[in-house]
Amino acid sequence: MLHLRLIVPAERTEDVVRTIEKTVGTTHLVVLPGAARDPAGDVVMCDVAREAGDALLGELRELGLDEAGSIAVENIDLSLSKRADKAEEEAPGEGADAVLWEHLADATHEESTLSVTYLAFLVLATMIAACGVVLDNAILIVGAMAVGPEFGPLAGLCTALVRRAPRLAARSAIALLVGFAAAMALTTGFSVAMDAVGLFGKDMLERARPNTDFIWKPDMFSFVVAVLAGIAGTLSLTSAKSGALVGVAISVTTVPAAANAAVALGYGEIDQMWGSTEQLLLNLVGIVVAGTLTLMTQKVLWGRRG
C-alpha cells in the first residue's frame, strides 16, 4: 500500500476527493479543511494499493495538483486494516508487478545527475578495481563493482528512452560519459603514482592473471550477462526491491573494464586497453538495451491489465 498526503487549494478539494473516491483500490480517505499553510489549502490523505497508484497520481497531476499544491507519496510497511486488504484485492493486478512511473522518473532523475558525490564514488570504485586487476584479486574487483554508481545513469537513460524525455536522456548520457572519462583519467594518474612508489609494475599487468584477465577479453557471454543484469536491475527498480541492485552491480564488468583500460593506457598496453574498452561498451549497451526493452514490456503489459 501507498500513503498519499496532498495539499489541495480549497477550490479543487471536491474534484480531488471525487477522483480518489472513484479510483478502485483506495481507502482511509481523510480531509482536513484549511490545515495547510504553505501553500494554503486543505490537506487530503488516503491510502491506495500500489497497483492503482500510478493511475491515481496521473489523474492528480492532470488536476494540476503538482503545481498548485503538493503530492507526497510514502510506502506503507505495515497496515493492519480490513479496508486496506479489501482495497488491494479490488485493485487490478499485483502490487509487486506495478510500475510507479512518477517514482521511477524521480528516482532516476536524482541518480543520473552528474554530482561531486557520483564522481567521487565512480573514481574510487575505478581505483579500487585498478588495484584488483594489477594484483589479480577477484575480491577487490567485486568490491569495486559494488561501489560503482553507474547503474543510476543507465537506468535514467532507459527511463528517458521509454518516456521520451530528452532532458533526462541528456543528463544520464553526460553523467556516464563525463563520469567514466574522469574516472579513467584519474585512475591512469593513480596507476602512474602507484608505479612510482613501487606498488604497481608493468610486469604485474603483463603476467598471467587467471582471476581477472576476462576483463580485457570480452566475448558473447559479456553481452549476455549485461542483458540479464539489465533486466534484473530494471525489475528491482520498478518493484522497489532495491536489494537486488547489489547483485546487479557485481554482475557487470563496467568499472573493472574502465580500470583495466586506464592502467593499460598508463603502461602503453594498447591491446589490453582496447579489449577493456570493448568490454565496457558491451556492458553499457547490453544494460541499456535490456533495461529499455524491460520497461517497454512492463508498460505494455500493465497498460493492457489496467
Side-chain angles (χ1 to χ4, degrees):
M1 294 290 288
L2 303 173
H3 177 69
L4 271 61
R5 188 190 72 246
L6 315 173
I7 297 179
V8 186
E11 66 274 10
R12 303 188 188 183
T13 299
E14 186 177 345
D15 292 335
V16 169
V17 170
R18 188 182 303 112
T19 298
I20 294 173
E21 289 178 335
K22 76 176 183 180
T23 300
V24 176
T26 59
T27 187
H28 302 156
L29 177 61
V30 177
V31 180
L32 303 175
R37 292 291 180 268
D38 184 20
D42 303 332
V43 173
V44 178
M45 295 181 287
C46 72
D47 295 341
V48 58
R50 181 181 175 86
E51 51 268 41
D54 191 65
L56 179 57
L57 290 175
E59 292 192 49
L60 293 175
R61 293 196 66 180
E62 288 181 2
L63 292 173
L65 201 56
D66 55 326
E67 297 180 358
S70 170
I71 303 174
V73 183
E74 300 175 347
N75 282 306
I76 300 177
D77 295 326
L78 177 64
S79 179
L80 303 178
S81 168
K82 289 185 178 181
R83 288 182 175 273
D85 294 339
K86 183 180 179 182
E88 288 188 316
E89 291 175 359
E90 292 176 346
E94 295 293 333
D97 298 332
V99 180
L100 294 176
W101 292 100
E102 296 298 337
H103 177 270
L104 181 62
D106 183 70
T108 52
H109 177 278
E110 181 179 352
E111 295 294 329
S112 63
T113 301
L114 183 64
S115 64
V116 174
T117 301
Y118 167 81
L119 282 175
F121 273 115
L122 189 55
V123 170
L124 291 172
T126 308
M127 289 181 177
I128 293 172
C131 296
V133 297
V134 171
L135 298 174
D136 194 34
N137 190 316
I139 295 177
L140 291 177
I141 295 298
V142 171
M145 290 175 173
V147 172
E150 72 279 7
F151 192 79
L154 289 170
L157 191 56
C158 296
T159 304
L161 292 174
V162 174
R163 302 201 73 186
R164 299 179 183 178
R167 290 185 179 180
L168 178 57
R171 183 183 297 107
S172 302
I174 290 173
L176 285 172
L177 294 175
V178 175
F180 272 109
M184 293 171 71
L186 291 174
T187 301
T188 300
F190 170 75
S191 65
V192 171
M194 292 290 280
D195 180 83
V197 298
L199 295 178
F200 281 10
K202 187 174 182 180
D203 59 314
M204 300 172 71
L205 192 69
E206 293 176 335
R207 68 184 180 183
R209 291 182 286 143
N211 293 321
T212 58
D213 63 357
F214 70 92
I215 293 173
W216 62 280
K217 296 178 180 178
D219 53 24
M220 282 307 299
F221 277 108
S222 301
F223 185 75
V224 170
V225 172
V227 168
L228 296 176
I231 296 172
T234 303
L235 290 175
S236 71
L237 283 178
T238 56
S239 64
K241 295 185 181 297
S242 57
L245 284 177
V246 177
V248 172
I250 60 178
S251 299
V252 292
T253 322
T254 48
V255 167
N260 201 84
V263 176
L265 177 62
Y267 286 119
E269 290 288 333
I270 303 302
D271 289 341
Q272 284 202 37
M273 184 193 72
W274 283 118
S276 301
T277 302
E278 184 181 351
Q279 178 79 268
L280 174 62
L281 293 176
L282 274 175
N283 277 267
L284 293 178
V285 171
I287 292 173
V288 171
V289 170
T292 302
L293 292 177
T294 300
L295 287 177
M296 292 177 64
T297 302
Q298 288 180 293
K299 187 175 183 179
V300 171
L301 293 179
W302 193 256
R304 290 178 178 176
R305 181 173 297 179

